[in-house]
Amino acid sequence: MNTFSQASSIEEVLQVIKENTLVFVYISRENCGVCHAVQPRVQEMLKEFPSIKPIQVSADDIPEVASQFTVFTVPALLLFAEGKEVIREARFVVMDDLHKNFQRVVENS
């Protein structure tokens, strides 16, 4: 089950990043098997980090997201702290490393 809020425009994504201290942006495509496999694991992990605001962006629905964030492959997992990108993972994600990185950023925010 998808619990990420779905972005309807690139402007919405940028506004969420601007208004929140920690934002996780999950960029995916409809026909991406890896995207659908990784998403529930990331959603489960984010339960430990309630200070991180998650948002999902479909590169199919909002193609300009790829150029805005320089994304060449999906899924792309981006974490922003105070508007600055601090973590970027793409395609093949090592969950333990991602968890440690989330923990480091949250503790330092």
Side-chain angles (χ1 to χ4, degrees):
M1 181 174 140
N2 183 3
T3 58
F4 291 160
S5 62
Q6 301 294 304
S8 57
S9 69
I10 193 68
E11 293 79 17
E12 179 184 356
V13 177
L14 296 173
Q15 192 66 31
V16 168
I17 292 169
K18 182 180 177 182
E19 292 176 353
N20 294 276
T21 304
L22 295 172
V23 178
F24 174 74
V25 179
Y26 189 83
I27 303 169
S28 62
R29 294 185 79 98
E30 194 61 40
N31 293 326
C32 169
V34 175
C35 298
H36 297 296
V38 169
Q39 184 175 350
R41 296 179 69 195
V42 175
Q43 285 179 183
E44 188 63 32
M45 183 186 309
L46 283 172
K47 289 179 182 176
E48 293 181 46
F49 305 102
S51 61
I52 298 175
K53 165 97 172 141
I55 188 166
Q56 181 173 358
V57 187
S58 169
D60 294 321
D61 297 338
I62 308 171
E64 58 269 33
V65 73
S67 61
Q68 177 71 42
F69 297 114
T70 318
V71 170
F72 298 103
T73 187
V74 290
L77 293 70
L78 312 176
L79 184 67
F80 292 84
E82 297 179 8
K84 306 256 190 270
E85 182 182 315
V86 294
I87 295 175
R88 174 181 288 248
E89 296 286 337
R91 193 71 180 155
F92 301 106
V93 180
V94 178
M95 290 297 159
D96 287 342
D97 292 347
L98 185 64
H99 185 273
K100 287 175 193 168
N101 287 333
F102 279 179
Q103 200 164 21
R104 176 183 48 82
V105 171
V106 167
E107 287 171 358
N108 292 321
S109 292

